Amino acid sequence: MKTMLVTGGTVFVSRYAAEYFRHRGWQVSVINRGTRQQSEGVELIQADRHALGEVLRHRHFDAVLDVTAYTADDVNALLDALGRYGQYILISSSAVYPETEQQPFREDAAVGPNIHWGRYGTDKIAAEQALHARDSSAYILRPPYLYGPGNNVYREAFVFDCALADRAFYLPGEGATKLHFLHVEDLCRLAEILLEKRPAQRIFNAGNPDCITVRDWVAACYAACGKDPAFVSVSPDVEQRQYFPFYNYEYALDVSAQCGLMGEFIPLAQGLKESLRWYRKHGDEVRRKPLLAYIDAHLAGRMYE
């Protein structure tokens, strides 16, 4: 049986990935501090990734899926502690691309600071560089916004709250800004394909073939709830992040290399319905932000053109 180490394993992407590969016949171990409920059928290696000591030294993993590395120190600490392993895959981020680069961003585009992502993006760059300095055969995945069951970030869940309460939706302008998404299962499937096919390319953008406007994305979230949104257009003088879960930033990834490996993707409508089913059962696990409170206090009743 093939063995895999997944960092984290308790929240959204890392938990989904651990369960995904377990269901596909891998013997999966996760490494975390053991403070949250663990997935069934997955081995817990209880440790802090920055204080691993010898806990991994005598283990062999056919694959390492590093979901929780945000800095170079995170990568180096794990590499220092690992014994023998086969293939390393790092889940990075599209935040590594500066907003000044030509879009859609290609994998060979320059990386650098992005004013919208700040230190998160530059730390991810450092993590990528630390990994490839020590393991040039490692794969790096750069996804955009991830969604799907287990998403504890208040994004689609916020729109679901609005839809289920029959609220009008306060939209940034006309909602023409485009967003790029990827279902968490499609991310795992890409990682699985890389482990099977071992392509020569080492860095892959990972996203849906097409972007979607903010307006259409909100409408799709409402449709998952069986609702139709009534929109209120908010003028740009209102800080967008006060009432909407995304930055006022449009970007797109060139995902042609990914599409050459996997031809089918989970349709957005299907993925959002899966997200809603999970949210109805696990809403207390989502990190809510006071977006609705801000709307009620500052926007409700105001008219915008």
PDB file of all heavy atoms in Angstrom, residues 8-37:
ATOM      1  N   GLY A   8      -1.047  18.944   8.405  1.00  0.00           N
ATOM      2  CA  GLY A   8      -2.367  19.416   8.828  1.00  0.00           C
ATOM      3  C   GLY A   8      -3.299  18.230   8.965  1.00  0.00           C
ATOM      4  O   GLY A   8      -3.077  17.334   9.782  1.00  0.00           O
ATOM      5  N   GLY A   9      -4.358  18.240   8.170  1.00  0.00           N
ATOM      6  CA  GLY A   9      -5.281  17.111   8.183  1.00  0.00           C
ATOM      7  C   GLY A   9      -6.549  17.334   8.968  1.00  0.00           C
ATOM      8  O   GLY A   9      -7.366  16.416   9.089  1.00  0.00           O
ATOM      9  N   THR A  10      -6.752  18.537   9.492  1.00  0.00           N
ATOM     10  CA  THR A  10      -7.955  18.764  10.303  1.00  0.00           C
ATOM     11  C   THR A  10      -8.880  19.839   9.748  1.00  0.00           C
ATOM     12  O   THR A  10     -10.037  19.910  10.155  1.00  0.00           O
ATOM     13  CB  THR A  10      -7.568  19.154  11.744  1.00  0.00           C
ATOM     14  OG1 THR A  10      -6.791  20.352  11.729  1.00  0.00           O
ATOM     15  CG2 THR A  10      -6.775  18.038  12.408  1.00  0.00           C
ATOM     16  N   VAL A  11      -8.393  20.693   8.847  1.00  0.00           N
ATOM     17  CA  VAL A  11      -9.194  21.821   8.368  1.00  0.00           C
ATOM     18  C   VAL A  11      -9.164  21.860   6.840  1.00  0.00           C
ATOM     19  O   VAL A  11      -8.116  21.664   6.220  1.00  0.00           O
ATOM     20  CB  VAL A  11      -8.677  23.163   8.949  1.00  0.00           C
ATOM     21  CG1 VAL A  11      -9.476  24.338   8.385  1.00  0.00           C
ATOM     22  CG2 VAL A  11      -8.767  23.157  10.464  1.00  0.00           C
ATOM     23  N   PHE A  12     -10.293  22.104   6.249  1.00  0.00           N
ATOM     24  CA  PHE A  12     -10.549  22.312   4.824  1.00  0.00           C
ATOM     25  C   PHE A  12      -9.641  21.504   3.903  1.00  0.00           C
ATOM     26  O   PHE A  12      -9.814  20.303   3.766  1.00  0.00           O
ATOM     27  CB  PHE A  12     -10.512  23.793   4.483  1.00  0.00           C
ATOM     28  CG  PHE A  12     -11.040  24.112   3.083  1.00  0.00           C
ATOM     29  CD1 PHE A  12     -11.952  23.269   2.460  1.00  0.00           C
ATOM     30  CD2 PHE A  12     -10.611  25.235   2.391  1.00  0.00           C
ATOM     31  CE1 PHE A  12     -12.442  23.547   1.182  1.00  0.00           C
ATOM     32  CE2 PHE A  12     -11.093  25.515   1.115  1.00  0.00           C
ATOM     33  CZ  PHE A  12     -12.001  24.677   0.516  1.00  0.00           C
ATOM     34  N   VAL A  13      -8.652  22.158   3.255  1.00  0.00           N
ATOM     35  CA  VAL A  13      -7.901  21.510   2.187  1.00  0.00           C
ATOM     36  C   VAL A  13      -7.128  20.305   2.710  1.00  0.00           C
ATOM     37  O   VAL A  13      -7.153  19.230   2.092  1.00  0.00           O
ATOM     38  CB  VAL A  13      -6.945  22.508   1.502  1.00  0.00           C
ATOM     39  CG1 VAL A  13      -6.149  21.806   0.407  1.00  0.00           C
ATOM     40  CG2 VAL A  13      -7.723  23.677   0.912  1.00  0.00           C
ATOM     41  N   SER A  14      -6.439  20.454   3.818  1.00  0.00           N
ATOM     42  CA  SER A  14      -5.624  19.341   4.306  1.00  0.00           C
ATOM     43  C   SER A  14      -6.497  18.176   4.762  1.00  0.00           C
ATOM     44  O   SER A  14      -6.157  17.004   4.536  1.00  0.00           O
ATOM     45  CB  SER A  14      -4.701  19.802   5.436  1.00  0.00           C
ATOM     46  OG  SER A  14      -5.437  20.260   6.553  1.00  0.00           O
ATOM     47  N   ARG A  15      -7.618  18.458   5.377  1.00  0.00           N
ATOM     48  CA  ARG A  15      -8.529  17.374   5.809  1.00  0.00           C
ATOM     49  C   ARG A  15      -9.142  16.687   4.594  1.00  0.00           C
ATOM     50  O   ARG A  15      -9.205  15.453   4.525  1.00  0.00           O
ATOM     51  CB  ARG A  15      -9.622  17.940   6.716  1.00  0.00           C
ATOM     52  CG  ARG A  15     -10.505  16.859   7.331  1.00  0.00           C
ATOM     53  CD  ARG A  15     -11.626  17.429   8.176  1.00  0.00           C
ATOM     54  NE  ARG A  15     -12.271  16.392   8.951  1.00  0.00           N
ATOM     55  CZ  ARG A  15     -11.980  16.075  10.197  1.00  0.00           C
ATOM     56  NH1 ARG A  15     -11.026  16.725  10.841  1.00  0.00           N
ATOM     57  NH2 ARG A  15     -12.614  15.095  10.820  1.00  0.00           N
ATOM     58  N   TYR A  16      -9.598  17.496   3.633  1.00  0.00           N
ATOM     59  CA  TYR A  16     -10.197  16.931   2.430  1.00  0.00           C
ATOM     60  C   TYR A  16      -9.173  16.063   1.701  1.00  0.00           C
ATOM     61  O   TYR A  16      -9.490  14.958   1.243  1.00  0.00           O
ATOM     62  CB  TYR A  16     -10.694  18.054   1.516  1.00  0.00           C
ATOM     63  CG  TYR A  16     -11.643  17.587   0.437  1.00  0.00           C
ATOM     64  CD1 TYR A  16     -13.017  17.791   0.554  1.00  0.00           C
ATOM     65  CD2 TYR A  16     -11.171  16.941  -0.702  1.00  0.00           C
ATOM     66  CE1 TYR A  16     -13.893  17.360  -0.426  1.00  0.00           C
ATOM     67  CE2 TYR A  16     -12.036  16.500  -1.687  1.00  0.00           C
ATOM     68  CZ  TYR A  16     -13.404  16.721  -1.549  1.00  0.00           C
ATOM     69  OH  TYR A  16     -14.267  16.277  -2.531  1.00  0.00           O
ATOM     70  N   ALA A  17      -7.940  16.550   1.595  1.00  0.00           N
ATOM     71  CA  ALA A  17      -6.900  15.804   0.890  1.00  0.00           C
ATOM     72  C   ALA A  17      -6.599  14.485   1.586  1.00  0.00           C
ATOM     73  O   ALA A  17      -6.440  13.444   0.924  1.00  0.00           O
ATOM     74  CB  ALA A  17      -5.635  16.649   0.794  1.00  0.00           C
ATOM     75  N   ALA A  18      -6.505  14.493   2.904  1.00  0.00           N
ATOM     76  CA  ALA A  18      -6.230  13.258   3.634  1.00  0.00           C
ATOM     77  C   ALA A  18      -7.320  12.227   3.380  1.00  0.00           C
ATOM     78  O   ALA A  18      -7.039  11.038   3.141  1.00  0.00           O
ATOM     79  CB  ALA A  18      -6.096  13.552   5.127  1.00  0.00           C
ATOM     80  N   GLU A  19      -8.569  12.669   3.415  1.00  0.00           N
ATOM     81  CA  GLU A  19      -9.680  11.745   3.202  1.00  0.00           C
ATOM     82  C   GLU A  19      -9.773  11.322   1.739  1.00  0.00           C
ATOM     83  O   GLU A  19     -10.111  10.168   1.435  1.00  0.00           O
ATOM     84  CB  GLU A  19     -10.979  12.391   3.675  1.00  0.00           C
ATOM     85  CG  GLU A  19     -10.981  12.632   5.187  1.00  0.00           C
ATOM     86  CD  GLU A  19     -12.220  13.360   5.672  1.00  0.00           C
ATOM     87  OE1 GLU A  19     -13.085  13.713   4.836  1.00  0.00           O
ATOM     88  OE2 GLU A  19     -12.336  13.576   6.901  1.00  0.00           O
ATOM     89  N   TYR A  20      -9.455  12.229   0.831  1.00  0.00           N
ATOM     90  CA  TYR A  20      -9.473  11.910  -0.602  1.00  0.00           C
ATOM     91  C   TYR A  20      -8.512  10.762  -0.900  1.00  0.00           C
ATOM     92  O   TYR A  20      -8.881   9.767  -1.547  1.00  0.00           O
ATOM     93  CB  TYR A  20      -9.094  13.162  -1.390  1.00  0.00           C
ATOM     94  CG  TYR A  20      -8.982  12.949  -2.893  1.00  0.00           C
ATOM     95  CD1 TYR A  20     -10.066  13.194  -3.727  1.00  0.00           C
ATOM     96  CD2 TYR A  20      -7.794  12.520  -3.476  1.00  0.00           C
ATOM     97  CE1 TYR A  20      -9.975  12.999  -5.113  1.00  0.00           C
ATOM     98  CE2 TYR A  20      -7.690  12.317  -4.849  1.00  0.00           C
ATOM     99  CZ  TYR A  20      -8.781  12.566  -5.657  1.00  0.00           C
ATOM    100  OH  TYR A  20      -8.685  12.369  -7.019  1.00  0.00           O
ATOM    101  N   PHE A  21      -7.281  10.873  -0.452  1.00  0.00           N
ATOM    102  CA  PHE A  21      -6.292   9.850  -0.772  1.00  0.00           C
ATOM    103  C   PHE A  21      -6.530   8.564   0.020  1.00  0.00           C
ATOM    104  O   PHE A  21      -6.236   7.468  -0.467  1.00  0.00           O
ATOM    105  CB  PHE A  21      -4.880  10.398  -0.567  1.00  0.00           C
ATOM    106  CG  PHE A  21      -4.428  11.291  -1.689  1.00  0.00           C
ATOM    107  CD1 PHE A  21      -4.505  12.671  -1.583  1.00  0.00           C
ATOM    108  CD2 PHE A  21      -3.952  10.743  -2.876  1.00  0.00           C
ATOM    109  CE1 PHE A  21      -4.108  13.489  -2.636  1.00  0.00           C
ATOM    110  CE2 PHE A  21      -3.561  11.555  -3.929  1.00  0.00           C
ATOM    111  CZ  PHE A  21      -3.641  12.929  -3.814  1.00  0.00           C
ATOM    112  N   ARG A  22      -7.078   8.679   1.214  1.00  0.00           N
ATOM    113  CA  ARG A  22      -7.431   7.458   1.955  1.00  0.00           C
ATOM    114  C   ARG A  22      -8.477   6.661   1.179  1.00  0.00           C
ATOM    115  O   ARG A  22      -8.373   5.431   1.063  1.00  0.00           O
ATOM    116  CB  ARG A  22      -7.958   7.813   3.349  1.00  0.00           C
ATOM    117  CG  ARG A  22      -8.403   6.574   4.151  1.00  0.00           C
ATOM    118  CD  ARG A  22      -8.866   6.956   5.539  1.00  0.00           C
ATOM    119  NE  ARG A  22     -10.080   7.764   5.494  1.00  0.00           N
ATOM    120  CZ  ARG A  22     -11.311   7.279   5.375  1.00  0.00           C
ATOM    121  NH1 ARG A  22     -11.506   5.969   5.262  1.00  0.00           N
ATOM    122  NH2 ARG A  22     -12.357   8.080   5.386  1.00  0.00           N
ATOM    123  N   HIS A  23      -9.478   7.349   0.642  1.00  0.00           N
ATOM    124  CA  HIS A  23     -10.528   6.659  -0.119  1.00  0.00           C
ATOM    125  C   HIS A  23      -9.991   6.053  -1.412  1.00  0.00           C
ATOM    126  O   HIS A  23     -10.638   5.176  -2.000  1.00  0.00           O
ATOM    127  CB  HIS A  23     -11.674   7.620  -0.425  1.00  0.00           C
ATOM    128  CG  HIS A  23     -12.534   7.933   0.760  1.00  0.00           C
ATOM    129  ND1 HIS A  23     -13.166   6.958   1.499  1.00  0.00           N
ATOM    130  CD2 HIS A  23     -12.872   9.109   1.342  1.00  0.00           C
ATOM    131  CE1 HIS A  23     -13.855   7.516   2.484  1.00  0.00           C
ATOM    132  NE2 HIS A  23     -13.693   8.820   2.413  1.00  0.00           N
ATOM    133  N   ARG A  24      -8.838   6.515  -1.857  1.00  0.00           N
ATOM    134  CA  ARG A  24      -8.240   5.972  -3.072  1.00  0.00           C
ATOM    135  C   ARG A  24      -7.154   4.939  -2.778  1.00  0.00           C
ATOM    136  O   ARG A  24      -6.339   4.627  -3.636  1.00  0.00           O
ATOM    137  CB  ARG A  24      -7.700   7.117  -3.941  1.00  0.00           C
ATOM    138  CG  ARG A  24      -8.826   7.699  -4.780  1.00  0.00           C
ATOM    139  CD  ARG A  24      -8.588   9.148  -5.135  1.00  0.00           C
ATOM    140  NE  ARG A  24      -9.706   9.658  -5.904  1.00  0.00           N
ATOM    141  CZ  ARG A  24     -10.890   9.993  -5.377  1.00  0.00           C
ATOM    142  NH1 ARG A  24     -11.099   9.857  -4.079  1.00  0.00           N
ATOM    143  NH2 ARG A  24     -11.865  10.459  -6.141  1.00  0.00           N
ATOM    144  N   GLY A  25      -7.166   4.448  -1.570  1.00  0.00           N
ATOM    145  CA  GLY A  25      -6.324   3.301  -1.249  1.00  0.00           C
ATOM    146  C   GLY A  25      -4.965   3.614  -0.664  1.00  0.00           C
ATOM    147  O   GLY A  25      -4.165   2.696  -0.434  1.00  0.00           O
ATOM    148  N   TRP A  26      -4.666   4.892  -0.422  1.00  0.00           N
ATOM    149  CA  TRP A  26      -3.387   5.236   0.195  1.00  0.00           C
ATOM    150  C   TRP A  26      -3.465   5.008   1.706  1.00  0.00           C
ATOM    151  O   TRP A  26      -4.532   5.149   2.331  1.00  0.00           O
ATOM    152  CB  TRP A  26      -3.051   6.697  -0.063  1.00  0.00           C
ATOM    153  CG  TRP A  26      -2.656   7.018  -1.469  1.00  0.00           C
ATOM    154  CD1 TRP A  26      -3.465   7.027  -2.576  1.00  0.00           C
ATOM    155  CD2 TRP A  26      -1.351   7.381  -1.920  1.00  0.00           C
ATOM    156  NE1 TRP A  26      -2.747   7.382  -3.694  1.00  0.00           N
ATOM    157  CE2 TRP A  26      -1.432   7.610  -3.324  1.00  0.00           C
ATOM    158  CE3 TRP A  26      -0.113   7.551  -1.298  1.00  0.00           C
ATOM    159  CZ2 TRP A  26      -0.339   7.992  -4.088  1.00  0.00           C
ATOM    160  CZ3 TRP A  26       0.976   7.937  -2.052  1.00  0.00           C
ATOM    161  CH2 TRP A  26       0.861   8.142  -3.437  1.00  0.00           C
ATOM    162  N   GLN A  27      -2.336   4.683   2.283  1.00  0.00           N
ATOM    163  CA  GLN A  27      -2.191   4.699   3.734  1.00  0.00           C
ATOM    164  C   GLN A  27      -1.740   6.109   4.111  1.00  0.00           C
ATOM    165  O   GLN A  27      -0.607   6.500   3.851  1.00  0.00           O
ATOM    166  CB  GLN A  27      -1.162   3.670   4.183  1.00  0.00           C
ATOM    167  CG  GLN A  27      -0.956   3.617   5.689  1.00  0.00           C
ATOM    168  CD  GLN A  27       0.068   2.565   6.078  1.00  0.00           C
ATOM    169  OE1 GLN A  27       0.117   1.494   5.497  1.00  0.00           O
ATOM    170  NE2 GLN A  27       0.920   2.893   7.054  1.00  0.00           N
ATOM    171  N   VAL A  28      -2.637   6.862   4.719  1.00  0.00           N
ATOM    172  CA  VAL A  28      -2.418   8.290   4.940  1.00  0.00           C
ATOM    173  C   VAL A  28      -2.094   8.562   6.399  1.00  0.00           C
ATOM    174  O   VAL A  28      -2.793   8.106   7.311  1.00  0.00           O
ATOM    175  CB  VAL A  28      -3.652   9.109   4.511  1.00  0.00           C
ATOM    176  CG1 VAL A  28      -3.443  10.599   4.817  1.00  0.00           C
ATOM    177  CG2 VAL A  28      -3.944   8.914   3.021  1.00  0.00           C
ATOM    178  N   SER A  29      -1.034   9.311   6.604  1.00  0.00           N
ATOM    179  CA  SER A  29      -0.687   9.833   7.926  1.00  0.00           C
ATOM    180  C   SER A  29      -0.794  11.349   7.879  1.00  0.00           C
ATOM    181  O   SER A  29      -0.438  11.971   6.872  1.00  0.00           O
ATOM    182  CB  SER A  29       0.740   9.434   8.324  1.00  0.00           C
ATOM    183  OG  SER A  29       0.900   8.039   8.314  1.00  0.00           O
ATOM    184  N   VAL A  30      -1.299  11.931   8.940  1.00  0.00           N
ATOM    185  CA  VAL A  30      -1.355  13.388   9.036  1.00  0.00           C
ATOM    186  C   VAL A  30      -0.516  13.815  10.224  1.00  0.00           C
ATOM    187  O   VAL A  30      -0.376  13.073  11.199  1.00  0.00           O
ATOM    188  CB  VAL A  30      -2.801  13.911   9.180  1.00  0.00           C
ATOM    189  CG1 VAL A  30      -3.621  13.556   7.961  1.00  0.00           C
ATOM    190  CG2 VAL A  30      -3.464  13.368  10.451  1.00  0.00           C
ATOM    191  N   ILE A  31       0.032  15.013  10.114  1.00  0.00           N
ATOM    192  CA  ILE A  31       0.845  15.520  11.216  1.00  0.00           C
ATOM    193  C   ILE A  31       0.259  16.840  11.687  1.00  0.00           C
ATOM    194  O   ILE A  31       0.130  17.805  10.925  1.00  0.00           O
ATOM    195  CB  ILE A  31       2.327  15.661  10.806  1.00  0.00           C
ATOM    196  CG1 ILE A  31       3.183  16.025  12.011  1.00  0.00           C
ATOM    197  CG2 ILE A  31       2.523  16.612   9.645  1.00  0.00           C
ATOM    198  CD1 ILE A  31       4.652  15.763  11.806  1.00  0.00           C
ATOM    199  N   ASN A  32      -0.199  16.836  12.931  1.00  0.00           N
ATOM    200  CA  ASN A  32      -0.741  18.045  13.545  1.00  0.00           C
ATOM    201  C   ASN A  32      -0.643  17.890  15.059  1.00  0.00           C
ATOM    202  O   ASN A  32      -0.178  16.857  15.557  1.00  0.00           O
ATOM    203  CB  ASN A  32      -2.172  18.320  13.074  1.00  0.00           C
ATOM    204  CG  ASN A  32      -3.146  17.207  13.423  1.00  0.00           C
ATOM    205  OD1 ASN A  32      -3.446  16.964  14.595  1.00  0.00           O
ATOM    206  ND2 ASN A  32      -3.644  16.502  12.396  1.00  0.00           N
ATOM    207  N   ARG A  33      -1.076  18.890  15.784  1.00  0.00           N
ATOM    208  CA  ARG A  33      -0.896  18.892  17.235  1.00  0.00           C
ATOM    209  C   ARG A  33      -1.971  18.119  17.984  1.00  0.00           C
ATOM    210  O   ARG A  33      -1.935  18.031  19.223  1.00  0.00           O
ATOM    211  CB  ARG A  33      -0.821  20.337  17.732  1.00  0.00           C
ATOM    212  CG  ARG A  33       0.488  21.025  17.383  1.00  0.00           C
ATOM    213  CD  ARG A  33       0.474  22.503  17.674  1.00  0.00           C
ATOM    214  NE  ARG A  33      -0.415  23.224  16.779  1.00  0.00           N
ATOM    215  CZ  ARG A  33      -0.559  24.548  16.760  1.00  0.00           C
ATOM    216  NH1 ARG A  33       0.117  25.294  17.614  1.00  0.00           N
ATOM    217  NH2 ARG A  33      -1.377  25.118  15.905  1.00  0.00           N
ATOM    218  N   GLY A  34      -2.928  17.556  17.264  1.00  0.00           N
ATOM    219  CA  GLY A  34      -3.926  16.704  17.893  1.00  0.00           C
ATOM    220  C   GLY A  34      -4.962  17.434  18.706  1.00  0.00           C
ATOM    221  O   GLY A  34      -5.617  16.838  19.571  1.00  0.00           O
ATOM    222  N   THR A  35      -5.176  18.706  18.426  1.00  0.00           N
ATOM    223  CA  THR A  35      -6.135  19.496  19.205  1.00  0.00           C
ATOM    224  C   THR A  35      -7.532  19.510  18.578  1.00  0.00           C
ATOM    225  O   THR A  35      -8.459  20.048  19.170  1.00  0.00           O
ATOM    226  CB  THR A  35      -5.635  20.941  19.338  1.00  0.00           C
ATOM    227  OG1 THR A  35      -5.468  21.511  18.028  1.00  0.00           O
ATOM    228  CG2 THR A  35      -4.320  20.981  20.102  1.00  0.00           C
ATOM    229  N   ARG A  36      -7.684  18.923  17.377  1.00  0.00           N
ATOM    230  CA  ARG A  36      -8.980  18.887  16.705  1.00  0.00           C
ATOM    231  C   ARG A  36      -9.367  17.434  16.417  1.00  0.00           C
ATOM    232  O   ARG A  36      -8.540  16.526  16.477  1.00  0.00           O
ATOM    233  CB  ARG A  36      -8.942  19.675  15.386  1.00  0.00           C
ATOM    234  CG  ARG A  36      -8.649  21.155  15.531  1.00  0.00           C
ATOM    235  CD  ARG A  36      -8.465  21.788  14.159  1.00  0.00           C
ATOM    236  NE  ARG A  36      -8.175  23.205  14.214  1.00  0.00           N
ATOM    237  CZ  ARG A  36      -9.079  24.167  14.094  1.00  0.00           C
ATOM    238  NH1 ARG A  36     -10.358  23.859  13.916  1.00  0.00           N
ATOM    239  NH2 ARG A  36      -8.727  25.438  14.143  1.00  0.00           N
ATOM    240  N   GLN A  37     -10.630  17.258  16.075  1.00  0.00           N
ATOM    241  CA  GLN A  37     -11.097  15.927  15.705  1.00  0.00           C
ATOM    242  C   GLN A  37     -10.376  15.464  14.436  1.00  0.00           C
ATOM    243  O   GLN A  37     -10.218  16.215  13.484  1.00  0.00           O
ATOM    244  CB  GLN A  37     -12.602  15.941  15.477  1.00  0.00           C
ATOM    245  CG  GLN A  37     -13.177  14.579  15.148  1.00  0.00           C
ATOM    246  CD  GLN A  37     -14.687  14.637  14.937  1.00  0.00           C
ATOM    247  OE1 GLN A  37     -15.298  15.686  15.013  1.00  0.00           O
ATOM    248  NE2 GLN A  37     -15.276  13.478  14.672  1.00  0.00           N
TER     249      GLN A  37
END
